Amino acid sequence: MTADRLTILHVYPRQMGVSGDRGNVAALVRRAAAADIETEVVEYAPGDQLPVSADIVVIGNGPLSAIRSLGDDIARIGAPIREFAASGGPVVAVGGGFDLATNQVVPTEGAPIDGFGVFDARAVRGAERRVNYFVLETRYPLLPGASTRLAGFEDHATRIELGAGVVPFADVVSGGGNQAGSPVEGAIVGTSFGTHTQGPILPLNPQLTDGVLAAATARLGREYAPDAERTATIDRYAREARATVDRYVDKAFKRIA
């Protein structure tokens, strides 16, 4: 970690990367470049030496079989990732990566799997399968004036049981979300968030990418200021994609038993 470069740690990219999750890393790199911030992406595989420091941690989506395959490595690196989040570092955990970042993943069969414990929550498999465009109003801290409305896609059969006092990542406008009684989605701790929003979420929602980068640069004592001219094209693409989701969201909902 240096004052002029952000280190992005991509955890388990091969095992937890089935939904275009490298797109989340790419969005962070491209967006940072538009603010004249250099980045370095470090990929972590099971058994590797975990980097001593990082500025953003990204964990992508993956199936239960992938989580099971990670074995003791989850316990080995869980404490440093928890400490990173507790110190104010942003962890971005998506899909199965969100499940992995909770205290415990509870499968429909077999023993529960202890997670990283970044979020005080349990991911309980066997809920109603939700396959749908996803529209949310996020509670994650964004730059002043940024829209809190997010769009994406959800495909999961997990109930997220949040611990007492845990702030949800978002309120559900359309979609399933945590499926635990209240129309909320995901979880926030500090500047970290977990969600089942795929798509991937950061390229579709540049304001959220800005929020993550602002949190990371603030820890380095630096202000994050994206250049609107340099991001105009990608912002337009994202805006048009979100408009398409809004247009079709009520027509595309599927519930799969």
Side-chain angles (χ1 to χ4, degrees), residues 121-141:
R122 290 200 317 162
V124 181
R125 298 297 179 99
E128 181 182 57
R129 181 78 177 272
R130 313 292 283 201
V131 182
N132 186 49
Y133 291 122
F134 211 10
V135 179
L136 306 168
E137 289 287 343
T138 188
R139 304 188 193 185
Y140 189 80

Side-chain angles (χ1 to χ4, degrees), residues 32-81:
D36 293 320
I37 298 172
E38 293 186 11
T39 55
E40 177 186 16
V41 177
V42 178
E43 295 188 350
Y44 172 83
D48 286 354
Q49 182 175 348
L50 196 69
V52 174
S53 62
D55 301 298
I56 301 171
V57 173
V58 177
I59 312 168
N61 186 30
L64 182 62
S65 59
I67 295 175
R68 282 183 166 142
S69 76
L70 297 169
D72 294 339
D73 200 75
I74 296 172
R76 189 172 73 88
I77 69 170
I81 292 178

Side-chain angles (χ1 to χ4, degrees), residues 83-108:
E83 291 167 6
F84 173 76
S87 71
V91 174
V92 176
V94 178
F98 174 34
D99 297 349
L100 178 57
T102 67
N103 294 329
Q104 193 175 63
V105 181
V106 183
T108 56

Side-chain angles (χ1 to χ4, degrees), residues 18 72 157 188:
V18 301
D72 294 339
I188 294 173

